[in-house]
Amino acid sequence: MQKFVLAVTVALGLLGSVAVSAATAVTTEQPAAGVRDGNSGCPAGHWALDKPIYDSNGKPKTGAANLIRNCVAARPGYFVQPGITPYNLGILGQRAEGPCPPGTFSIGGASSCNSVPAGHFATGPATTAPLACPLGRYAPGPGSYACQIAAKGEYVASPGSASVQRCPPGKTTAMVGATSASQCIPQPK
């Protein structure tokens, strides 16, 4: 039962990705004997989707050239790792596309994910573009999946910041997440 549920889930995911990326498909004809070898013949950042060739009676052709290989680009937020063995879904195709992990992103057709730059973040899997840290928050290095909040005595006055600014000596902020130097007040005695 678990195998059936997994197969249906994977097949539905495949069908959704085929509809999204049909415009980016590249077709190459290959003999059937060479079709089940992963993603060979597809460019980097693409995965193989094999489709049957039908004769004039609407029946699948038999013989050496009975399949067409469509090389489908990875969707934005996803990547195709070179050299991995994709799931074999039979005539539905082979899927070798995975989501970019938190802290990374891709714009589509990627063979790897990009780390978000400092001052930016990507919270979840399958992110298509990094987001700038808001005022009062910062990301000191690349690959952040969340922004850090400015501590008391610090502030962040611009979005997309990789660092914090400290209040002048003898001053602090009333709370964390300050967004300007005007929020620095004299420290209580």
Side-chain angles (χ1 to χ4, degrees):
M1 181 65 177
Q2 288 177 344
K3 288 182 183 180
F4 174 75
V5 171
L6 177 62
V8 169
T9 303
V10 172
L12 289 175
L14 172 68
L15 294 175
S17 68
V18 171
V20 169
S21 53
T24 58
V26 178
T27 303
T28 59
E29 288 189 32
Q30 295 185 0
V35 170
R36 296 287 173 225
D37 61 353
N39 290 326
S40 65
C42 290
H46 291 69
W47 57 278
L49 175 66
D50 300 333
K51 295 181 177 181
I53 300 173
Y54 295 95
D55 63 18
S56 59
N57 296 324
K59 294 183 180 180
K61 283 187 174 182
T62 57
N66 66 345
L67 294 173
I68 293 178
R69 169 161 285 182
N70 285 334
C71 294
V72 182
R75 296 173 288 170
Y78 291 78
F79 74 106
V80 177
Q81 183 179 352
I84 74 167
T85 303
Y87 296 107
N88 185 347
L89 298 177
I91 221 62
L92 289 177
Q94 298 175 356
R95 184 182 180 93
E97 181 183 56
C100 290
T104 66
F105 71 100
S106 76
I107 57 173
S111 58
S112 64
C113 300
N114 301 309
S115 285
V116 298
H120 294 75
F121 70 103
T123 57
T127 298
T128 59
L131 299 171
C133 291
L135 296 175
R137 296 177 180 264
Y138 67 103
S144 294
Y145 58 87
C147 299
Q148 297 177 20
I149 192 162
K152 277 191 172 186
E154 300 176 336
Y155 63 94
V156 178
S158 60
S161 183
S163 62
V164 295
Q165 292 76 38
R166 292 204 175 280
C167 289
K171 292 192 172 188
T172 189
T173 57
M175 59 186 168
V176 298
T179 59
S180 75
S182 66
Q183 291 176 303
C184 293
I185 57 174
Q187 286 182 335
K189 295 184 180 188

